[in-house]
Amino acid sequence: MKRRLLLLVPLLIFAVLVVFLYRGLSHDPSARDSAKLADRFPAFDLATLDDPDRRLDRSLLEGGDDSEGEVTLVNVWGEWCPVCKKEMPQLQTLADRGVHLVGVDYKDTRDKGNEFLETYGDPFAVSLFDPKGSLGFDLGVYGAPESFIVDGDGVIRYHHTGYITPDDVEQVILPEMAKWR
Amino acid sequence: MAVKRLLGLARPMVWLLLLLLTMTAQAAIDVQSFDDPALAQRFEALSGRLRCPKCQNESIGASNSPIAGDMRARVAAMLRDGASDAEIEDAMVERFGDYALYDPRFEARTWLLWGLPFGLIVIGGGIVALFVVRRRRTGDDTLSAQERRHLDGLIARHDVRNDEPGRDGEPERAGEPGRDA
């Protein structure tokens, strides 16, 4: 009898393997763990897109000395990025729902960036101009669009790689924003 | 005989295995130049060890993607500033996560990954040892009475043959009629 049961061992191993591989099938191969969750937003010193003389640093996201900042959605975009154009209506919806948005114009030229906002609308409270992609690099951005939810203390709480779909607005972004408010 | 046949198979097998040793093509797109050849060598090594986060399976040394270029530039800059390999790897993991390393580090999350092969070898060895010990103990090599009688007969016949040495120097042929009885 014991011997008989032993014969089931390969079947058992096979079953475990099937479960393991089946899970892999539904796994998005381009998804990555974000390394920046629970980290402070990286330091930066960048001009704004509309005004080259106005420079901002990360105190923008951390509020004043004694006041708590707002929960912010930081969206990394670029005029060269076709998906970013498709994402703009969703960002506009978020802005209309009272979400505080900061844009990062990533690896772009100032003219093209400004033109983009004129064409597709400007949902951002302010857009940072990051022509060399230095802030993007420190954020671990490897393609646009990417979005980060930053809490009132300037800590990264959520990282969305890729396109925010219309469904994501209600199902992912707004609940995440509410979580950190 | 069987050994000879196995050896005959071994040579094509070796050639087949050698095919597995072919290296993936390395083609850095931009040229990073270093005054110190040792730095250039470390740059090459790091470019092969770091994985492009945008790609499914390409090192930053082999990838065309913009982020791989940025990473190569950062690696080169850090090397020129005198950073150690570990510091450079840390800087990349901090931004792009464990995915950036082809060889994951040994840590709480990865001990199973690194340990499983050794674990399986130990388990497999244990199972083989168990079988060997068991077979010895159950004494599969003891003969039944009938087998014993048969063997005794064979031995006796063998002894008889050896007692009448080299009749006419003719080599003995097994199964020659008249000899058995």
Side-chain angles (χ1 to χ4, degrees), chain A residues 94-107:
Chain A
L94 284 166
D96 294 343
R97 298 282 292 267
V99 171
H100 183 237
L101 284 140
V102 168
V104 177
D105 185 15
Y106 175 66
K107 291 195 176 180

PDB file of all heavy atoms in Angstrom, chain A residues 94-107:
ATOM      1  N   LEU A  94      -8.926  62.882 -14.089  1.00  0.00           N
ATOM      2  CA  LEU A  94      -8.390  62.880 -12.724  1.00  0.00           C
ATOM      3  C   LEU A  94      -8.308  64.304 -12.183  1.00  0.00           C
ATOM      4  O   LEU A  94      -8.660  64.571 -11.031  1.00  0.00           O
ATOM      5  CB  LEU A  94      -7.009  62.209 -12.694  1.00  0.00           C
ATOM      6  CG  LEU A  94      -7.022  60.681 -12.787  1.00  0.00           C
ATOM      7  CD1 LEU A  94      -5.625  60.135 -13.087  1.00  0.00           C
ATOM      8  CD2 LEU A  94      -7.545  60.071 -11.488  1.00  0.00           C
ATOM      9  N   ALA A  95      -7.829  65.231 -13.042  1.00  0.00           N
ATOM     10  CA  ALA A  95      -7.714  66.625 -12.609  1.00  0.00           C
ATOM     11  C   ALA A  95      -9.097  67.180 -12.268  1.00  0.00           C
ATOM     12  O   ALA A  95      -9.268  67.890 -11.269  1.00  0.00           O
ATOM     13  CB  ALA A  95      -7.051  67.462 -13.703  1.00  0.00           C
ATOM     14  N   ASP A  96     -10.092  66.835 -13.105  1.00  0.00           N
ATOM     15  CA  ASP A  96     -11.460  67.305 -12.850  1.00  0.00           C
ATOM     16  C   ASP A  96     -11.999  66.740 -11.542  1.00  0.00           C
ATOM     17  O   ASP A  96     -12.856  67.354 -10.903  1.00  0.00           O
ATOM     18  CB  ASP A  96     -12.384  66.889 -14.004  1.00  0.00           C
ATOM     19  CG  ASP A  96     -12.012  67.594 -15.305  1.00  0.00           C
ATOM     20  OD1 ASP A  96     -11.276  68.615 -15.224  1.00  0.00           O
ATOM     21  OD2 ASP A  96     -12.418  67.129 -16.389  1.00  0.00           O
ATOM     22  N   ARG A  97     -11.519  65.552 -11.160  1.00  0.00           N
ATOM     23  CA  ARG A  97     -11.974  64.940  -9.914  1.00  0.00           C
ATOM     24  C   ARG A  97     -11.197  65.477  -8.716  1.00  0.00           C
ATOM     25  O   ARG A  97     -11.317  64.951  -7.611  1.00  0.00           O
ATOM     26  CB  ARG A  97     -11.808  63.418  -9.987  1.00  0.00           C
ATOM     27  CG  ARG A  97     -12.624  62.763 -11.079  1.00  0.00           C
ATOM     28  CD  ARG A  97     -14.083  62.626 -10.706  1.00  0.00           C
ATOM     29  NE  ARG A  97     -14.260  61.669  -9.635  1.00  0.00           N
ATOM     30  CZ  ARG A  97     -14.519  60.378  -9.823  1.00  0.00           C
ATOM     31  NH1 ARG A  97     -14.640  59.923 -11.038  1.00  0.00           N
ATOM     32  NH2 ARG A  97     -14.682  59.570  -8.799  1.00  0.00           N
ATOM     33  N   GLY A  98     -10.364  66.484  -8.941  1.00  0.00           N
ATOM     34  CA  GLY A  98      -9.671  67.142  -7.826  1.00  0.00           C
ATOM     35  C   GLY A  98      -8.301  66.562  -7.507  1.00  0.00           C
ATOM     36  O   GLY A  98      -7.727  66.854  -6.453  1.00  0.00           O
ATOM     37  N   VAL A  99      -7.755  65.723  -8.415  1.00  0.00           N
ATOM     38  CA  VAL A  99      -6.423  65.168  -8.161  1.00  0.00           C
ATOM     39  C   VAL A  99      -5.359  66.214  -8.503  1.00  0.00           C
ATOM     40  O   VAL A  99      -5.450  66.902  -9.523  1.00  0.00           O
ATOM     41  CB  VAL A  99      -6.195  63.897  -9.003  1.00  0.00           C
ATOM     42  CG1 VAL A  99      -4.745  63.436  -8.931  1.00  0.00           C
ATOM     43  CG2 VAL A  99      -7.128  62.782  -8.551  1.00  0.00           C
ATOM     44  N   HIS A 100      -4.391  66.344  -7.610  1.00  0.00           N
ATOM     45  CA  HIS A 100      -3.280  67.269  -7.836  1.00  0.00           C
ATOM     46  C   HIS A 100      -2.242  66.572  -8.718  1.00  0.00           C
ATOM     47  O   HIS A 100      -1.663  65.558  -8.322  1.00  0.00           O
ATOM     48  CB  HIS A 100      -2.673  67.657  -6.488  1.00  0.00           C
ATOM     49  CG  HIS A 100      -1.572  68.666  -6.602  1.00  0.00           C
ATOM     50  ND1 HIS A 100      -0.306  68.422  -6.110  1.00  0.00           N
ATOM     51  CD2 HIS A 100      -1.542  69.915  -7.125  1.00  0.00           C
ATOM     52  CE1 HIS A 100       0.460  69.490  -6.339  1.00  0.00           C
ATOM     53  NE2 HIS A 100      -0.277  70.413  -6.957  1.00  0.00           N
ATOM     54  N   LEU A 101      -2.029  67.108  -9.929  1.00  0.00           N
ATOM     55  CA  LEU A 101      -1.132  66.457 -10.886  1.00  0.00           C
ATOM     56  C   LEU A 101       0.110  67.300 -11.150  1.00  0.00           C
ATOM     57  O   LEU A 101       0.023  68.513 -11.339  1.00  0.00           O
ATOM     58  CB  LEU A 101      -1.855  66.250 -12.221  1.00  0.00           C
ATOM     59  CG  LEU A 101      -2.870  65.110 -12.296  1.00  0.00           C
ATOM     60  CD1 LEU A 101      -4.080  65.523 -13.094  1.00  0.00           C
ATOM     61  CD2 LEU A 101      -2.216  63.889 -12.925  1.00  0.00           C
ATOM     62  N   VAL A 102       1.260  66.625 -11.152  1.00  0.00           N
ATOM     63  CA  VAL A 102       2.497  67.279 -11.564  1.00  0.00           C
ATOM     64  C   VAL A 102       3.044  66.483 -12.746  1.00  0.00           C
ATOM     65  O   VAL A 102       3.127  65.252 -12.682  1.00  0.00           O
ATOM     66  CB  VAL A 102       3.521  67.317 -10.411  1.00  0.00           C
ATOM     67  CG1 VAL A 102       4.900  67.718 -10.919  1.00  0.00           C
ATOM     68  CG2 VAL A 102       3.063  68.274  -9.324  1.00  0.00           C
ATOM     69  N   GLY A 103       3.370  67.180 -13.835  1.00  0.00           N
ATOM     70  CA  GLY A 103       3.899  66.505 -15.014  1.00  0.00           C
ATOM     71  C   GLY A 103       5.418  66.574 -15.037  1.00  0.00           C
ATOM     72  O   GLY A 103       6.020  67.500 -14.498  1.00  0.00           O
ATOM     73  N   VAL A 104       6.024  65.571 -15.644  1.00  0.00           N
ATOM     74  CA  VAL A 104       7.457  65.628 -15.925  1.00  0.00           C
ATOM     75  C   VAL A 104       7.609  65.408 -17.421  1.00  0.00           C
ATOM     76  O   VAL A 104       7.336  64.318 -17.924  1.00  0.00           O
ATOM     77  CB  VAL A 104       8.242  64.539 -15.140  1.00  0.00           C
ATOM     78  CG1 VAL A 104       9.717  64.587 -15.504  1.00  0.00           C
ATOM     79  CG2 VAL A 104       8.050  64.688 -13.646  1.00  0.00           C
ATOM     80  N   ASP A 105       8.016  66.467 -18.128  1.00  0.00           N
ATOM     81  CA  ASP A 105       8.214  66.358 -19.573  1.00  0.00           C
ATOM     82  C   ASP A 105       9.594  65.752 -19.783  1.00  0.00           C
ATOM     83  O   ASP A 105      10.619  66.400 -19.617  1.00  0.00           O
ATOM     84  CB  ASP A 105       8.106  67.748 -20.216  1.00  0.00           C
ATOM     85  CG  ASP A 105       8.174  67.654 -21.732  1.00  0.00           C
ATOM     86  OD1 ASP A 105       8.007  66.539 -22.258  1.00  0.00           O
ATOM     87  OD2 ASP A 105       8.392  68.693 -22.375  1.00  0.00           O
ATOM     88  N   TYR A 106       9.585  64.469 -20.166  1.00  0.00           N
ATOM     89  CA  TYR A 106      10.767  63.611 -20.095  1.00  0.00           C
ATOM     90  C   TYR A 106      11.437  63.501 -21.458  1.00  0.00           C
ATOM     91  O   TYR A 106      10.785  63.162 -22.446  1.00  0.00           O
ATOM     92  CB  TYR A 106      10.282  62.245 -19.595  1.00  0.00           C
ATOM     93  CG  TYR A 106      11.272  61.114 -19.537  1.00  0.00           C
ATOM     94  CD1 TYR A 106      12.350  61.144 -18.659  1.00  0.00           C
ATOM     95  CD2 TYR A 106      11.094  59.982 -20.322  1.00  0.00           C
ATOM     96  CE1 TYR A 106      13.227  60.078 -18.566  1.00  0.00           C
ATOM     97  CE2 TYR A 106      11.968  58.902 -20.238  1.00  0.00           C
ATOM     98  CZ  TYR A 106      13.032  58.961 -19.364  1.00  0.00           C
ATOM     99  OH  TYR A 106      13.883  57.897 -19.280  1.00  0.00           O
ATOM    100  N   LYS A 107      12.713  63.863 -21.523  1.00  0.00           N
ATOM    101  CA  LYS A 107      13.511  63.755 -22.756  1.00  0.00           C
ATOM    102  C   LYS A 107      12.801  64.396 -23.944  1.00  0.00           C
ATOM    103  O   LYS A 107      12.522  63.745 -24.946  1.00  0.00           O
ATOM    104  CB  LYS A 107      13.792  62.283 -23.051  1.00  0.00           C
ATOM    105  CG  LYS A 107      14.730  61.655 -22.062  1.00  0.00           C
ATOM    106  CD  LYS A 107      15.252  60.352 -22.608  1.00  0.00           C
ATOM    107  CE  LYS A 107      16.264  59.740 -21.688  1.00  0.00           C
ATOM    108  NZ  LYS A 107      16.762  58.476 -22.206  1.00  0.00           N
TER     109      LYS A 107
END
